[in-house]
Amino acid sequence: MKKWVYLFGEVAEAEKYTGSWEGVRALLGGKGAGLLDMTRAGVPVPPGFTVTTEACNEFRKTGKFPAGMWDQVLTAMKSVEKQTGKKFGDANNPLLVSCRSGAKFSMPGMMNTILNIGLNDEVAEGMIKLTNNPRFVWDLYRRLIEMFGTTVFNLDDEVFEHPLAEYKERKGYKVDTDMTAEDWKELVSTYKDVFKRHVGFDFPQDVYKQLELATKAVFESWNGKRAIAYRNKEGISHDLGTAVNIVTMVFGNMGNDSGTGVAFTRNPSTGEQEMMGDYLLNAQGEDVVAGIRNADPIEHLQSQMPKVYKQFMDISNKLEKHYKDMQDVEFTIERGKLWMLQTRNGKRTAKSAVKIAVDLANEGLITKEEAILRVTPENVDALLHPQFDAEAMMNAEKDGTFLAKGVNASPGAAVGQVYFDADTAEKMAKEDKQDTIMVRPFTKPDDVHGMIASKGVLTSEGGATSHAAVVARQFGIPCVVGASAIKINLERRVMTVGETVVKEGEWISVDGTTGKVFVGKMPMTSPSLEQQTELLTLLKWADDICARKDIRVAPVKGYPTRGLQVWANADYPKDARRARSYGAVGIGLCRTEHMFFEPERLPIVQRMILSHTSEERTAALDELLPYQRKDFDGLFEAMDGYPVIIRLIDPPLHEFMPDEEKLLEEVITMRVKGESDGLADKETLLNAIRGMHESNPMMGLRGVRLSIAMPEIVEMQVRAIFEAAADCTLRSIVVRPEVMIPLTGTVKELEWIQPRLERIASAVMGEKKGKFDYKFGTMIEIPRAAVTAAEIAQHAEFFSFGTNDLTQMTYGYSRDDAERNFLITYQEQGILEKNPFQTLDRNGVGKLMDWAIAEGRKTRPNLEVGICGEHGGDPSSIEWCHLIGNNYVSCSPFRVPIARLAAAHSALRHRAQGKVTTPKKKVLAKIPKTRSKVTQKSAKKKFAKVK
Ligand code: PEP
Ligand code: MG
């Protein structure tokens, strides 16, 4: 008979069945695995057992418990009765249990939990006799009926909250603690009526029926709306199912020697090594988690219950060491005895993820490699997000825009329009494309969709462990909680602080880093990487991993190689300097045409384009040459010693000309008004632009085709590159220029243009007497170039995948229009899993790349290969580049840190295993005859140097 149920003491059996700890977590869920593991470690855990995720998955298929499961539950209950010395349903010595969900991956608050199961009329009376505390018992009972109604039978909270509010109002009570035993007793009877009215039958008195219904409800909550939305957002598989943990109830609400709390073993916002938590005396678990009552900081427990505090600290430290990670623990103190109810790796902000990973590695608890894998590229991205301008924040108090301060629950800056409920916040964000800030007194699991859709979250109640704080941290949404100065009026849809009134739809700024809230839109600035010491350390470790000479196996040949390098796309010296400071070790793409758009250059460029003779064109280009030389000089200087790939002009020339429609309008207006001054020039220009018109410019006269049609432009560019390089060399700057020819489709194009350009290169080097290494290579952007890569590599000394164009041409989707026209629908309909312009399509575009590298290296074994399309900064695409043997990825300077981490992740996840072969003989590329002798010699020397 299959085992569907594991007692907390049966961890060894679960390990044996699954063969690994990952397997145990999949079988018993994270919470269940944690409870079994804590029991084994001797931590005080209330006795209980876990029903497996396999049982849940069977139930989801058939709608019934699998055969034998319920009998195993009954047997396990007997064992729990034995361990506790209590009996389920026995009025004289009752055992109460909770029924808690728990999947492999934590989904906080997304599924059901039912507490106090085992209470009925008879047991309630018995418990009153035993505890002598009728108020406590009636309170438990009413909670059970309420939870049964809302979670097992999906009734609205409102059906129970309304009678309670009405009752309190009738009695003139303000808070729940005003309620007496008699009051709760009366409410139990009201709740029973409510239950019957809505559900159609009496609240079940049979305790085993309660357990059965609760177990089914937990299984079913796997497919609840909230849970599905959460899994979609987090990329968790819908097939895993949830386990059910049936745990002996211990009570934090048995008087002032009892309490309950949650704590993080390190600060989940900043990562500082300090216990951070909240607890409430005389309360039940959800009171703290919901943030409904303002809880006490955990340090206060030291004076209130010194022994329990010490025991709690010892256990928490032990758990952190055991799991080698920051723990999020839940505990209850029942009449002075501490019980640990749960431990799990705590959710954390990006900042804290980095600090904790680096600290744990420095403390020797984990390796540097583990630390790297614990931080996600998204974490790094979040750390480089904009923050509010420091000066504007300082002035805010003076200029009256400061509104209030609360707890800095999840860092980051958010500016948006205020909405007071989740549905409206989501609607405004999704349908009206607004930046929204969701503002609530406190949040509940039903609010998560509004939080996710919003740029920021603000609550007036709750603390750092409240629902709003935990969820916001997890999703990286800036969040301030407990800003108690703010009075929210949900009916009037306004919030006020003193005289200041903010109405729904008005703008506010929320700073999750400092906890401050401002009216209006606060200006933002980019964060500085230099100040983030832990992140710098982690990225240095990441680079070290990639630099290991044997971390990856070269595809095809199978010999050991280093991991990926990260270069950057940068057009100007200031971008290059930023790229360097972010850790780039090369420029993978300098789009030279961007420089042509500068105001003082554009008229010269236009004159050059409109030239009628080669002489006229050369004259205009001569004027441009010093500008370009200066541009390249600055780039070489900034990248001193690192390679700089400069791409020759790529876009169609009409892009440099005035807009045709606008010009036509001007010409017509002048004609109508009879203005003749300058009209003839405008008409000539209009005709010239019309002459350049192409129906399909992206497939027209651009890239290498343009260079062949008008070689003077690229000849000027190559001269500028080599003059700048030679000048730099003379100034002792080490230069490594690489000239990149765009949009090649056939080797014949290279055969035509490259020798002309190489001749200029040699000539300049001769003139200037500067010697340096250089390369000529090409972009692989056209599928034909990828397919014929072996031929292309006869001329090209390097390849750089222009995956923007390569994706456009492989799919046949216009990179300018597809996103707004049909890509979203394609994704919604599941035709495309991801946007191929953001994440490389491995099956199509990726295969072409793989083929191109293999073929290219058949011709030229040491062919340098990179990528410079947008995909160069996308983690999944980076992984693909690692696998197919790219030497580097190149991306925008801002994404360089993300790419460095993603490159190390790829190296570690696919690390070379076992024995790798080394090729016996290094085959040198056939150097085509077109290269000069000098270049051939230096090229041979270079090839010999590379592994
Ligand atoms: C590309 O096509 O991927 C590329 C980098 O070039 P551009 O985006 O300038 O066309
Ligand atoms: Mg391109």
Side-chain angles (χ1 to χ4, degrees), residues 72-98:
Q72 291 179 24
V73 167
L74 298 180
T75 314
M77 280 302 282
K78 292 279 163 280
S79 165
V80 173
E81 286 177 344
K82 215 160 146 200
Q83 289 175 65
T84 55
K86 298 178 181 177
K87 207 160 178 309
F88 194 48
D90 181 348
N92 297 323
N93 185 20
L95 167 70
L96 302 194
V97 295
S98 61

Side-chain angles (χ1 to χ4, degrees), residues 591 647 650 702 742-743 779 781 802-806 815:
R591 289 179 166 104
R647 178 180 73 183
D650 179 45
R702 56 175 287 222
L743 223 72
M779 292 184 80
E781 305 179 270
T803 43
N804 303 334
D805 275 313
L806 192 59
R815 59 191 269 192

